[in-house]
Amino acid sequence: MMIVWIILGALGGIIALVLIIAAFSKKDFAVERTTTVNKPLPETYDFLTSLQKQDQWSKWTQLDPNMKKTYIGTDKTVGFISRWESQHKQVGEGEQEIRKLVPNERIENELRFMKPMRSVANAYFTVKEAGENQTAVAWGFTSTTPWPFNAFMLFFNMENAVGKDFEEGLSNMKKMVEAE
């Protein structure tokens, strides 16, 4: 019986430690990567507003080319939704909605992940002239990890994990835009 109390006490201590760490750990995170595209700003912006074109260069679409895709609304307009369903553990299930368009400046999307874990994130693209027929593109992502799960962010570097995927996606996107 004493061993049971020791085990319960140890488990309680571990749970309390995780909760305390979570109370003092940051909940918000942001990742951003940039590239320069050798195309004029209006053409680059127009390309980036399309969620359907994003399927052609996104790292996650390439992980599972057989994922089920559904579109609702008119692409390149506020309110357009791109849904996906995949059995691939890194892709999962979710949807992306165009939330705000500032012509030739900014695109804001909301990502709603359903599987493998429910969460919401905000993604954005900003564009600005970088020279004659060149456009600087920034792709960013912000989210909040709820308490007490934010304690696990101490062991997972979102900047590196998502950053690599953004770099690969931007490289793919740059090739496609420049080829058009």
Side-chain angles (χ1 to χ4, degrees), residues 32-37 44 47-48 57-60 124-126 136-140 163-178:
E32 183 179 278
R33 293 294 187 271
T34 61
T35 193
T36 301
V37 177
T44 304
F47 184 90
L48 291 171
W57 56 265
S58 166
K59 154 85 176 188
W60 298 284
Y124 62 88
F125 292 99
T126 60
V137 176
W139 185 13
K164 287 179 189 175
D165 293 342
F166 275 25
E167 289 167 10
E168 185 176 330
L170 284 172
S171 175
N172 295 338
M173 177 275 299
K174 176 180 168 71
K175 290 174 193 166
M176 287 185 69
V177 172
E178 291 175 354

Side-chain angles (χ1 to χ4, degrees), residues 18 21-22 25-26 145-146 148-157:
V18 168
I21 289 171
S25 296
K26 72 178 192 171
T145 304
F149 302 104
N150 62 315
F152 299 105
M153 295 306 287
L154 294 172
F155 308 104
F156 183 76
N157 188 329

Side-chain angles (χ1 to χ4, degrees), residues 85-128:
E85 292 178 47
S86 171
Q87 298 302 313
H88 193 288
K89 66 180 181 176
Q90 287 181 283
V91 179
E93 182 181 331
E95 63 186 21
Q96 180 174 198
E97 179 180 353
I98 299 174
R99 298 300 294 253
K100 184 177 182 181
L101 298 170
V102 180
N104 295 320
E105 288 182 29
R106 187 175 180 91
I107 301 157
E108 295 181 9
N109 298 321
E110 183 177 81
L111 294 159
R112 297 180 287 265
F113 302 99
M114 280 73 156
K115 291 180 184 175
M117 189 171 110
R118 284 194 170 277
S119 67
V120 175
N122 297 299
Y124 62 88
F125 292 99
T126 60
V127 292
K128 62 182 177 182

